[in-house]
Amino acid sequence: MDEPTPTTFDERLTAPRSWWLIAAALGFGAAMAMLPLGTLAALGGFVVGGALAAVAVSAYGSVRVRIVGGALVAGEARIPVSALGDGEALDAEEARAWRSHRADTRAHMLLRAYIPTAVRVKVTDPEDPTPYVYVSTRHPQELTAALAAARNSAQAG
């Protein structure tokens, strides 16, 4: 039986707490919209509206960034580290520039606007037209270090 490959970086890009308050407010708004139909309808509107908003916030905030098994896993994308070049940790200002006026439409972006920092990783595979991968992360230095370690490990092995 194969042993599981250790994960060298794992981050869940959870939504901020304020979004959960907005989900509750949407439930309250649904209740107010249903109030003319009666108290039971208002309660149902609160439960259904709040639940739908909570599911949306939870789904959007459940994306993970990992380095596991010799690959960068960013949301649904799984990119072998052998196809990646150096990673560049981006501060808030640089990250904003790379997701706006410097952005390349061919790039793969795992973007969460509520996370101010990111990592930009060059794609070195000549068969892939994607110039780079942009990944929102709260820990850009740790992600670039883990990418470098995984790439060195893949080249050595």
Side-chain angles (χ1 to χ4, degrees):
M1 181 183 280
D2 293 333
E3 290 187 25
T5 306
T7 302
T8 57
F9 184 86
D10 191 354
E11 178 183 13
R12 186 173 301 276
L13 304 180
T14 56
R17 290 185 182 118
S18 61
W19 286 33
W20 292 100
L21 293 174
I22 293 169
L26 287 171
F28 182 73
M32 293 297 101
M34 300 299 286
L35 189 58
L37 301 176
T39 307
L40 192 57
L43 181 60
F46 178 74
V47 169
V48 172
L52 288 174
V55 165
V57 169
S58 178
Y60 193 73
S62 69
V63 69
R64 289 173 68 183
V65 176
R66 298 181 297 158
I67 297 177
V68 62
L72 169 64
V73 180
E76 297 293 319
R78 184 178 186 93
I79 308 158
V81 293
S82 60
L84 297 173
D86 293 330
E88 176 187 1
L90 305 173
D91 62 15
E93 186 176 322
E94 280 291 309
R96 189 177 313 108
W98 280 105
R99 65 179 178 253
S100 61
H101 66 275
R102 285 190 189 166
D104 188 324
T105 57
R106 300 171 298 153
H108 176 75
M109 300 182 101
L110 178 63
L111 172 66
R112 293 297 182 260
Y114 53 82
I115 299 177
T117 55
V119 168
R120 187 175 69 89
V121 186
K122 295 177 184 173
V123 176
T124 58
D125 183 358
E127 300 294 318
D128 192 344
T130 307
Y132 62 89
V133 177
Y134 175 100
V135 179
S136 291
T137 177
R138 291 181 176 97
H139 310 286
Q141 284 76 21
E142 290 91 338
L143 179 53
T144 55
L147 273 168
R151 202 172 58 252
N152 291 339
S153 176
Q155 290 172 351

